[in-house]
Amino acid sequence: MVGELVATGVTLASVGAVYLAAAARVVKQYERGVVLRLGRLASEVRGPGFTMIVPFVDRMRKVNMQIITMPVPAQEGITRDNVTVRVDAVVYFKVVDAADAVIRVEDYRFAVSQMAQTSLRSIIGKSELDDLLSNREKLNQGLELMMDSPAIGWGVTVDRVEIKDVSLPETMKRSMARQAEATRDRRARVINADAELQASKKLAEAAEAMSDQPAALQLRLLQTVVAVAAEKNSTLVLPFPVELLRFLERSGLQAQAETAAAEAVRGRARRPAAPEVADDSPAAVEGEAEGERLPELEDLPEAEDLPSRPEDLP
């Protein structure tokens, strides 16, 4: 009798241990347990900690309540300005109602993934290329609104959506590079032209001031010499006044003209005179004396009126 009681007790203990092992469940802090009893949803969702279910009657499904990061595969589409692009994104979402995430959708992760891809294609077709490249914050908000509306019915809320990268065709990249280069070149030319205009105005004012005071030009020349000499080089630059060059040129032409005139006079004096009848009259003697008189310096023509080469003389 005692042996039967002991055997029965051992059997009951074994059955209880097996039942406890089959009924015991542990729900983690970031999870919630959804219990289906005979296919029907239980009244409450099990919270974190130790919980019990009825073996072979209840089935508990654990749902992760953490924020899930899901990358969206790159989607190729045509923008509103007819440019083919490839855009990929990332979605951050979490489950707010564990019962709806289990009951209302078969696989909420797959559903959110497909919805993100379709929404991304839709937003590509509604946007222009400039918006995709520079106005991503607005597009992210539009994607979030498009995905959040149907996801609420699944017990899921979309935390945020971010567009990661926009891939452009190589031809479009080269065109944009040429456009950017042309824009920078135009700005550089405009800046250079503006600088030249300002410099010309300042130079005109400086020239006007120096024309009123001729000594200012000499002082400026001396400052230039000092600036060049401060470099400690072996080359010294001396500005040469243009007026001095013109004076030397005029002096050289005048001296050349005087020399040519003197040689012409000497040539006439050395020519043999034709035999004539001697005229001893005072008038003839006076005329002959006047004809042989050499011209004075003031009677000579100016240097500007004489030819520059001796061979051009008559």
Side-chain angles (χ1 to χ4, degrees):
M1 187 68 182
V2 176
E4 293 178 358
L5 292 176
V6 171
T8 303
V10 171
T11 303
L12 291 176
S14 300
V15 171
V18 172
Y19 178 82
L20 183 62
R25 295 289 186 274
V26 176
V27 180
K28 298 180 182 179
Q29 181 66 38
Y30 55 85
E31 293 177 340
R32 297 295 183 269
V34 179
V35 179
L36 297 176
R37 179 167 297 169
L38 297 177
R40 299 185 63 179
L41 179 66
S43 60
E44 61 180 5
V45 177
R46 306 296 174 88
F50 181 80
T51 185
M52 297 287 292
I53 62 174
V54 179
F56 309 109
V57 176
D58 295 345
R59 295 185 59 187
M60 188 176 70
R61 183 173 175 182
K62 298 177 182 180
V63 180
N64 192 342
M65 306 297 289
Q66 292 177 316
I67 294 178
I68 301 173
T69 303
M70 176 180 294
V72 181
Q75 302 297 312
E76 185 172 353
I78 300 176
T79 61
R80 194 166 61 180
D81 51 354
N82 298 325
V83 179
T84 303
V85 295
R86 289 177 60 88
V87 182
D88 56 351
V90 59
V91 182
Y92 301 90
F93 68 96
K94 64 180 179 179
V95 177
V96 293
D97 193 336
D100 290 342
V102 174
I103 300 301
R104 296 193 177 187
V105 62
E106 180 182 3
D107 187 352
Y108 66 90
R109 290 175 180 263
F110 181 74
V112 171
S113 175
Q114 294 300 313
M115 182 179 57
Q117 295 180 31
T118 56
S119 300
L120 185 58
R121 283 179 175 271
S122 177
I123 206 71
I124 290 174
K126 295 179 181 178
S127 305
E128 295 184 355
L129 180 61
D130 293 339
D131 295 334
L132 290 175
L133 296 177
S134 60
N135 197 11
R136 294 188 181 182
E137 189 66 28
K138 183 178 179 181
L139 298 180
N140 294 337
Q141 295 177 0
L143 277 172
E144 182 178 348
L145 291 176
M146 293 176 65
M147 295 178 60
D148 196 34
S149 299
I152 292 177
W154 305 336
V156 177
T157 179
V158 178
D159 188 63
R160 63 183 305 166
V161 183
E162 293 287 343
I163 295 177
K164 291 199 305 182
D165 188 22
V166 178
S167 300
L168 300 175
E170 293 297 329
T171 55
M172 180 58 65
K173 291 181 180 180
R174 289 194 293 267
S175 300
M176 294 177 66
R178 288 195 298 268
Q179 180 183 2
E181 184 178 359
T183 303
R184 290 192 297 267
D185 190 14
R186 178 179 62 84
R187 291 178 181 176
R189 291 185 179 182
V190 170
I191 293 174
N192 289 334
D194 192 12
E196 291 292 339
L197 177 60
Q198 295 179 6
S200 62
K201 291 181 179 179
K202 295 300 181 180
L203 289 175
E205 294 177 1
E208 184 179 358
M210 288 183 179
S211 63
D212 295 337
Q213 297 292 335
L217 181 60
Q218 301 297 329
L219 294 176
R220 184 58 183 166
L221 294 178
L222 293 177
Q223 290 178 359
T224 304
V225 173
V226 171
V228 173
E231 298 296 332
K232 297 181 181 180
N233 51 14
S234 59
T235 304
L236 182 61
V237 179
L238 263 176
F240 205 71
V242 181
E243 290 77 6
L244 182 57
L245 295 177
R246 293 177 181 174
F247 174 75
L248 295 176
E249 183 180 3
R250 288 197 301 268
S251 300
L253 290 177
Q254 186 175 2
Q256 186 178 4
E258 291 177 357
T259 303
E263 290 180 355
V265 171
R266 292 195 193 96
R268 293 196 200 95
R270 291 174 182 174
R271 293 177 184 175
E276 296 180 356
V277 179
D279 189 359
D280 297 334
S281 61
V285 174
E286 185 179 358
E288 183 178 359
E290 290 179 359
E292 294 177 357
R293 185 175 59 86
L294 295 176
E296 298 295 336
L297 182 60
E298 57 270 11
D299 297 334
L300 294 177
E302 295 294 334
E304 291 79 359
D305 300 333
L306 293 177
S308 60
R309 295 181 299 178
E311 53 269 20
D312 295 337
L313 293 174

